[in-house]
Amino acid sequence: MAGFSNRGRGHNRKRKLSQPTHNTPSSTPGHGSQSDEEDPPAVRKKVRWEASQRSNTEVSMEDGMADGEENDNGSSEETETTETDSLKICLTAWCQNRRVGMAYYDPIKCMIYVLEDTEETSHFDLTRMVLEQASPDVVLTSSRSDDAFMDTVREFMESSGGVFQIRPNKEFSPGKGRDRLMSLHLLMDLPQEGNLDSSVVSSDDGSSISVSRNAYDFMMTRKGAMNDPTTKRWNASIRLANFGSMECSPLCISSVGALLDHLVRERAINDFADEGIHGLEIRDIECLALNEVMQINADALCSLQVFANENHASMHSNKTKEGLSLAGILNVTKTALGKNLMRSWLLRPSLSLSVINARHNAVACFLRAENVTTSNTLNGHLKGIRNIPRILGVLRSGKAKAPEWQGLVKFTVLCAMLKEALTELHEASGIDIVQKLLSALDISCFRQIGTRINDTASIDWEQSAEARRVCIRPHIDEELDNRKHVYHGIDTVLSKVAERISQDVPSNYAPSLNIVYFPQLGFLICVPMQDEWRNEAGVQVIDGWSFQVTTLLSSPISFADLSHVYFKSQEMHDMDFHIGDLHSLIVDREIEIAQALLEEILVHDAAMSHACDVCAELDCLLAFADVSRSYDYRRPQMVEDNIIDIVQGRHPLQEMVVDTFVPNDARITGGDGRFSMFANASDTDTEFEENSLKLWNSVLLCTGANACGKVALIQYMAQLGRDTSDFDSFVPAESATLGVVDKIFTRISTRESVSKIQSAFMIDLNQVSLALRNCTSRSLILLDEFGKGTLPTDGAGLLCGVIKHLLARGSSCPKVLVATHFHDVFRKEILDPETVPITFLHMQVMFTSRDRSQEASGGSSDHVSSRGLSTPSIARPNSGTEEGFGSREEITYLYRVMEGLSLDSHAAICAELFGIPLRLVQRAQYVSQLLSAHEIGRLLDESISEKETLELQESETICRKFLAWNLAESGVDVKKKLGEVLGKEGEDSEDT
């Protein structure tokens, strides 16, 4: 393998070498503060190397530089080489079955970037994108990676002057990779600096000491287990999910393990150090954020229900199908390539605003009323196109049969029909996909291919179907025609030869004989088995003949079952020599003709493959146009502003399963918020002056009853597609003005598993931690009931802490959508609705009230309630007639979003609707109101009624009698004694 070369990369090397002090900051997350006297890694290497060359005395940095000036060919050059090697970027990747996982180490930032397992395209566009963005000096991959993947990486590294190595597959092991990660100090050691849970107290001598109020830290300190290896490994296993979803990404975690092994080997070679993986300086682990595609992990895809696999109805089948999901709605493509391309676009939405707008123009063109007929025609043509790249691969392998050749001919015909249909589109001159397809469809070339196969070469389709191989028609090759003529007339020749030979054979030897032909065996004389040949003497052979083989009538094998005997004579040898093995010769000649035809066709391999790729894009565009037309999707307006403005938005999945869907608006902005919806209006506009205070915020919080969130899916659909070969979709809304979102994080669904050591609440914390570590001002975060998995007080505190932390980021605050039932946090000292820059919304409900008088008269009164910040009056329920609890209410969810907070819990009404006794419901509602008003002490002042007092006294008397009963006493009638205890002495024993 060629060594590393700086050819074409000198500028990058100088830039990196000029900033060696970035390797080790003064404080690194998860490692504690670093002393000022400690040198950066690059400087330590230089001093250690020079000291080993000169003496064991301490050498300063200036002395090392001076020595380098005195000895130009000495240690300074070796030090510079060592430092240059240490700054190389190493990337590891593993691709299997078109799924790829990667990891690379940035020596300047001392960070590891990981790409979780994701599906790759047939052209490995994602791999090329990562390589261009990371610019690695060394790339390592497994020996079991896909061959096409290795060819792509090798080509890139050769052009960039880097090193590409194929490592043994045993180095790429998920178990080994997980063990390597568990050994990192970043994961094992809990952060010690900046403890937010500590408080300062005064000691006896008046000095202040810091006392930790974190229960976990306190217990670990008490047990002295902070340095215990088992505890550290447990910490690492818990914190691993904070940096990415690598547990469900075996290719990624294997690549990380191979990367760490390589870094340890390189460090040992350069530094002669034996610290192993513990000596690596790794500040952080981040998910690789590609510049051109949206980052959305598996949890977010599952929570938003982008994909949903359903098992087969039969328990004996392992097949799955796409269920109710966004992919199931959008992926109505006609071709296999289009279906695969649609899935890859769903996994990686685009971030390019120009590409998004170009794709919107294409979909709008197909949605025009005058283009509906042409679009249907295009769909019909695409439906007949097969997977041409796969067909060409089968042709190269020499295993092609008639269907593959027919598919190729049909493709050439359909391409001409597609190009003709494209010219009939109205106002399509500026549509990128149309122009791209018109230039990709080389009709003259494709027509030549179809004519060559169908006419010039003249494949005999009927005979090919019968023979299950490629057969050539007559009058194409003279030699082939002569062989077929002899082969087809061989029956007459064999009859004449058999008649002549039978005249020379004694009548008592064989009453009849035939001349037969077998491929590979040639011509043989077939004689029926005689009875006298079934003895020990065996078959009698005529002079000049040679025994060849016998055939059986049935099984098992028995000599008595032999039916015919075959011989060779001189005449048969002469026929073998002059006529030969005709069948094999015919097949070989047809293969030669087909191979010559294939070589002519493969010259246009790239043109046909490119045309298929563009046809796949057209297929996806037409599919989404059909979906937009069927479900009334509208075109969004994509802008540079970091905003989401949705008017009458709908959920694309929920509207398909309900009778009536209620659309709603959503407005939110990223950064520090305060985006005015009238920012473009003139100062003299009266409407602007009246509404200038209607500003948007970065955090939108929904309380009360809430349903599925449609904002993220609408934003996601608007950015579907990737790079210059993508499309972008319309959205289910009346109108939408959207900025580009680079990442989507969710805390909606918790995917628990017995294979994970985390609880449900730990999984929720990992999801939120991942969002906080990787989000930007362009990101979108969805938090649904975060904190519900623990105590309400702790959960509410965590939710408030996350919201305040995001708001404190100012211009870096992402767009955040929150749904919560923690009503106690909306106070001045926590989240004051009057001061915090948060948009408060709630779902409106309708209460139907029925009191006893109305029920008797058959009347009813309905009212719609938003129930905002006002606190309801507290009244203790007794008989159900007190104010606030006397009326019976039924709730109807309107699914209409309104401004303001909803501090009412509808749990009591729902409990009553589902059969909980009214007395318990009223009591629960009363206690809940006391808790909300911090007046729980009023429960101590309650007095019970006279009836309740008598019941309590009676119960106490029974209890005392029962406790006074000596159960060890023998000879006692238990039923009678129990009746005395319960006060039922005179009743029948059965009643007792």
Side-chain angles (χ1 to χ4, degrees):
M1 192 62 61
F4 171 74
S5 173
N6 282 334
R7 180 162 37 95
R9 302 171 64 92
H11 178 72
N12 292 335
R13 298 301 103 203
K14 292 179 180 179
R15 178 180 56 82
K16 293 182 178 179
L17 290 175
S18 64
Q19 300 173 350
T21 56
H22 290 181
N23 281 341
T24 306
S26 60
S27 176
T28 58
H31 289 76
S33 300
Q34 196 174 18
S35 61
D36 297 334
E37 294 79 14
E38 187 175 355
D39 292 326
V43 177
R44 291 203 306 270
K45 294 176 184 177
K46 183 181 294 186
V47 173
R48 184 182 299 129
W49 179 266
E50 292 176 353
S52 63
Q53 296 292 325
R54 293 166 54 194
S55 64
N56 293 330
T57 58
E58 182 178 1
V59 182
S60 64
M61 185 174 180
E62 290 79 4
D63 293 339
M65 294 175 63
D67 292 339
E69 294 175 357
E70 294 174 0
N71 186 5
D72 295 337
N73 299 322
S75 60
S76 62
E77 293 182 357
E78 296 170 337
T79 303
E80 183 179 357
T81 302
T82 303
E83 185 176 0
T84 303
D85 293 338
S86 66
L87 293 177
K88 290 182 179 180
I89 297 179
C90 177
L91 183 145
T92 55
W94 191 7
C95 180
Q96 272 193 333
N97 301 323
R98 296 276 292 275
R99 289 188 63 84
V100 63
M102 298 185 186
Y104 77 90
Y105 177 70
D106 188 341
I108 300 297
K109 299 180 180 179
C110 297
M111 296 176 62
I112 291 180
Y113 295 90
V114 296
L115 177 67
E116 299 172 3
D117 293 8
T118 185
E119 292 188 14
E120 182 58 285
T121 63
S122 58
H123 302 291
F124 298 96
D125 297 326
L126 179 63
T127 300
R128 298 177 188 273
M129 193 183 306
V130 175
L131 292 174
E132 292 174 358
Q133 183 169 328
S135 299
D137 303 309
V138 181
V139 175
L140 311 178
T141 188
S142 169
S143 59
R144 295 187 181 178
S145 293
D146 295 342
D147 293 339
F149 170 80
M150 289 192 287
D151 294 339
T152 301
V153 178
R154 182 184 291 109
E155 179 184 357
F156 180 87
M157 296 307 294
E158 288 177 356
S159 62
S160 63
V163 177
F164 174 65
Q165 294 183 6
I166 301 176
R167 304 295 301 177
N169 184 69
K170 63 182 180 181
E171 295 185 7
F172 287 78
S173 170
K176 182 183 293 186
R178 195 173 191 276
D179 292 338
R180 297 293 185 272
L181 282 170
M182 296 299 182
S183 303
L184 295 178
H185 289 297
L186 173 67
L187 299 179
M188 290 193 306
D189 299 336
L190 295 178
Q192 300 297 320
E193 74 278 7
N195 190 356
L196 300 179
D197 295 324
S198 61
S199 59
V200 179
V201 298
S202 299
S203 59
D204 296 337
D205 57 358
S207 61
S208 298
I209 59 176
S210 177
V211 179
S212 176
R213 297 190 300 179
N214 185 294
Y216 179 81
D217 292 341
F218 176 75
M219 293 303 296
M220 292 298 100
T221 305
R222 287 287 303 270
K223 294 181 180 180
M226 293 302 292
N227 295 321
D228 180 58
T230 303
T231 304
K232 287 189 173 185
R233 188 173 182 83
W234 184 83
N235 292 337
S237 63
I238 295 299
R239 303 185 67 208
L240 178 60
N242 295 358
F243 300 90
S245 303
M246 288 182 284
E247 290 287 353
C248 55
S249 302
L251 300 179
C252 173
I253 201 169
S254 300
S255 300
V256 175
L259 175 64
L260 293 176
D261 285 342
H262 175 78
L263 295 177
V264 170
R265 288 196 302 267
E266 291 296 320
R267 189 174 186 275
I269 293 174
N270 295 334
D271 295 348
F272 299 101
D274 194 21
E275 300 179 55
I277 196 171
H278 300 289
L280 294 178
E281 181 67 22
I282 297 177
R283 296 175 50 206
D284 202 356
I285 301 175
E286 285 188 8
C287 293
L288 185 59
L290 301 179
N291 296 331
E292 299 178 5
V293 298
M294 178 192 294
Q295 177 182 338
I296 180 168
N297 58 15
D299 288 333
L301 290 174
C302 178
S303 300
L304 298 178
Q305 208 168 335
V306 176
F307 300 101
N309 289 331
E310 292 183 355
N311 295 327
H312 195 273
S314 174
M315 62 178 296
H316 304 288
S317 177
N318 295 327
K319 295 182 179 179
T320 60
K321 66 176 182 178
E322 192 70 38
L324 179 63
S325 63
L326 185 63
I329 296 176
L330 300 181
N331 205 348
V332 292
T333 51
K334 309 301 181 182
T335 64
L337 289 177
K339 190 176 295 294
N340 293 333
L341 192 59
M342 175 77 79
R343 181 175 178 83
S344 66
W345 287 344
L346 288 170
L347 290 171
R348 294 183 290 273
S350 176
L351 296 183
S352 174
L353 194 59
S354 60
V355 170
I356 292 174
N357 288 325
R359 299 305 155 258
H360 285 173
N361 293 334
V363 178
C365 175
F366 294 127
L367 285 176
R368 293 179 181 274
E370 58 270 22
N371 291 333
V372 173
T373 303
T374 305
S375 299
N376 294 334
T377 303
L378 292 172
N379 274 324
H381 296 335
L382 289 172
K383 192 174 183 179
I385 295 179
R386 297 180 58 188
N387 191 344
I388 299 302
R390 187 194 65 82
I391 290 177
L392 293 174
V394 175
L395 290 173
R396 292 191 203 95
S397 65
K399 300 178 181 179
K401 297 181 181 179
E404 282 73 22
W405 289 97
Q406 286 177 337
L408 197 59
V409 173
K410 193 174 182 179
F411 168 73
T412 59
V413 176
L414 290 175
C415 284
M417 299 173 68
L418 277 174
K419 190 166 186 178
E420 182 180 357
L422 286 173
T423 58
E424 299 177 1
L425 288 173
H426 294 272
E427 299 185 13
S429 58
I431 303 303
D432 181 66
I433 185 63
V434 174
Q435 300 303 320
K436 186 189 300 184
L437 192 58
L438 289 175
S439 61
L441 297 178
D442 190 351
I443 302 304
S444 60
C445 174
F446 294 165
R447 184 181 292 112
Q448 180 183 357
I449 294 174
T451 304
R452 186 74 177 89
I453 298 173
N454 207 31
D455 296 335
T456 307
S458 296
I459 295 178
D460 193 335
W461 304 114
E462 295 181 0
Q463 187 179 357
S464 298
E466 295 176 359
R468 296 184 178 181
R469 59 181 177 83
V470 178
C471 299
I472 306 300
R473 288 180 179 177
H475 310 296
I476 300 300
D477 184 81
E478 182 178 358
E479 180 183 355
L480 179 62
D481 292 342
N482 292 334
R483 291 177 180 176
K484 286 187 176 182
H485 176 72
V486 175
Y487 183 76
H488 293 153
I490 198 68
D491 291 342
T492 304
V493 176
L494 295 180
S495 297
K496 293 180 179 181
V497 173
E499 182 179 356
R500 187 178 60 81
I501 293 177
S502 62
Q503 296 176 357
D504 299 334
V505 176
S507 59
N508 60 350
Y509 182 82
S512 65
L513 61 83
N514 292 317
I515 305 299
V516 297
Y517 168 78
F518 288 107
Q520 308 300 328
L521 295 179
F523 297 92
L524 300 174
I525 301 174
C526 178
V527 178
M529 173 66 74
Q530 306 296 323
D531 293 336
E532 59 269 19
W533 295 349
R534 301 182 189 276
N535 54 25
E536 296 181 358
V539 178
Q540 300 297 322
V541 182
I542 298 178
D543 293 340
W545 289 15
S546 61
F547 173 74
Q548 296 294 314
V549 69
T550 60
T551 59
L552 301 178
L553 287 175
S554 60
S555 60
I557 298 176
S558 174
F559 189 76
D561 295 331
L562 296 176
S563 60
H564 290 80
V565 183
Y566 298 90
F567 302 93
K568 275 279 189 182
S569 66
Q570 184 59 40
E571 290 85 350
M572 300 300 104
H573 287 293
D574 293 341
M575 293 179 66
D576 290 342
F577 178 77
H578 292 287
I579 299 178
D581 196 350
L582 283 177
H583 184 270
S584 300
L585 293 176
I586 291 173
V587 172
D588 291 344
R589 183 55 184 164
E590 287 180 332
I591 292 176
E592 292 176 0
I593 296 174
Q595 183 64 30
L597 174 63
L598 177 61
E599 292 177 358
E600 296 180 15
I601 293 174
L602 289 181
V603 176
H604 310 286
D605 183 5
M608 288 188 289
S609 298
H610 177 61
C612 286
D613 294 337
V614 182
C615 287
E617 299 173 24
L618 176 65
D619 189 13
C620 294
L621 285 165
L622 291 171
F624 197 84
D626 292 340
V627 174
S628 301
R629 188 182 299 109
S630 301
Y631 300 107
D632 192 25
Y633 291 172
R634 306 293 179 86
R635 176 176 180 171
Q637 180 183 359
M638 306 303 298
V639 296
E640 293 286 351
D641 296 327
N642 189 12
I643 62 171
I644 296 178
D645 182 11
I646 300 174
V647 178
Q648 299 296 291
R650 312 187 309 274
H651 195 287
L653 301 180
Q654 192 185 29
E655 69 173 348
M656 299 181 65
V657 296
V658 297
D659 296 333
T660 303
F661 189 88
V662 180
N664 286 292
D665 301 344
R667 293 178 175 87
I668 189 172
T669 180
D672 55 357
R674 302 306 182 188
F675 179 88
S676 174
M677 68 180 72
F678 303 103
N680 296 327
S682 62
D683 295 338
T684 59
D685 194 347
T686 307
E687 184 180 4
F688 173 74
E689 294 177 358
E690 295 177 354
N691 298 282
S692 59
L693 297 179
K694 292 186 178 181
L695 304 177
W696 301 356
N697 297 306
S698 298
V699 180
L700 190 152
L701 192 147
C702 184
T703 56
N706 57 79
C708 53
K710 63 191 73 65
V711 176
L713 268 181
I714 291 177
Q715 179 72 50
Y716 175 84
M717 293 174 64
Q719 292 184 227
L720 284 180
R722 187 182 58 76
D723 200 30
T724 59
S725 60
D726 308 340
F727 78 94
D728 293 275
S729 62
F730 285 20
V731 298
E734 181 178 323
S735 65
T737 303
L738 306 172
V740 175
V741 168
D742 60 352
K743 306 174 185 178
I744 294 181
F745 300 97
T746 62
R747 205 316 313 159
I748 297 178
S749 62
T750 304
R751 297 193 293 177
E752 300 182 70
S753 174
V754 295
S755 61
K756 296 182 179 181
I757 62 175
Q758 295 101 326
S759 65
F761 183 59
M762 279 189 175
I763 296 174
D764 293 349
L765 291 176
N766 284 331
Q767 293 177 351
V768 176
S769 176
L770 180 65
L772 295 180
R773 291 175 183 274
N774 295 277
C775 67
T776 67
S777 61
R778 284 278 181 179
S779 302
L780 177 62
I781 301 178
L782 279 71
L783 302 177
D784 185 15
E785 303 297 340
F786 173 60
K788 66 179 180 181
T790 184
L791 292 175
T793 53
D794 294 341
L798 285 170
L799 177 64
C800 293
V802 170
I803 294 176
K804 288 187 175 181
H805 168 74
L806 293 173
L807 291 174
R809 293 189 178 187
S811 59
S812 300
C813 179
K815 297 180 281 290
V816 187
L817 301 177
V818 185
T820 183
H821 289 298
F822 294 132
H823 299 156
D824 297 338
V825 301
F826 305 114
R827 302 177 188 166
K828 292 184 178 180
E829 60 274 14
I830 304 179
L831 288 179
D832 187 4
E834 301 294 335
T835 59
V836 292
I838 298 177
T839 301
F840 293 98
L841 302 174
H842 69 278
M843 283 286 189
Q844 198 174 39
V845 297
M846 182 177 70
F847 293 94
T848 304
S849 302
R850 292 178 178 271
D851 54 25
R852 295 183 179 179
S853 60
Q854 291 173 334
E855 186 172 308
S857 61
S860 63
S861 62
D862 299 346
H863 64 277
V864 177
S865 174
S866 293
R867 297 204 174 181
L869 291 171
S870 60
T871 303
S873 60
I874 299 176
R876 176 179 175 271
N878 279 332
S879 60
T881 58
E882 285 82 354
E883 181 183 358
F885 296 94
S887 60
R888 300 285 299 276
E889 290 183 329
E890 295 181 358
I891 187 172
T892 301
Y893 297 98
L894 301 179
Y895 301 104
R896 184 184 303 147
V897 175
M898 302 294 292
E899 294 183 0
L901 285 170
S902 174
L903 300 183
D904 279 357
S905 173
H906 306 144
I909 301 176
C910 293
E912 182 182 354
L913 293 176
F914 283 94
I916 303 299
L918 178 61
R919 179 174 59 85
L920 299 179
V921 173
Q922 292 177 343
R923 180 66 179 178
Q925 191 173 5
Y926 171 68
V927 175
S928 298
Q929 291 180 358
L930 290 179
L931 288 172
S932 301
H934 297 278
E935 297 182 9
I936 193 66
R938 291 176 55 176
L939 295 176
L940 301 176
D941 301 332
E942 291 185 358
S943 60
I944 60 178
S945 63
E946 182 179 354
K947 180 180 179 180
E948 293 173 340
T949 303
L950 294 176
E951 291 179 354
L952 183 60
Q953 291 176 353
E954 183 179 356
S955 301
E956 183 180 0
T957 302
I958 294 174
C959 182
R960 291 184 182 278
K961 289 181 179 181
F962 186 80
L963 293 175
W965 182 9
N966 185 9
L967 299 178
E969 183 179 357
S970 60
V972 177
D973 188 351
V974 177
K975 291 185 177 180
K976 183 178 180 181
K977 184 65 175 179
L978 187 58
E980 295 176 358
V981 172
L982 297 177
K984 299 181 179 180
E985 296 87 351
E987 300 181 6
D988 295 338
S989 58
E990 294 183 359
D991 297 338
T992 303

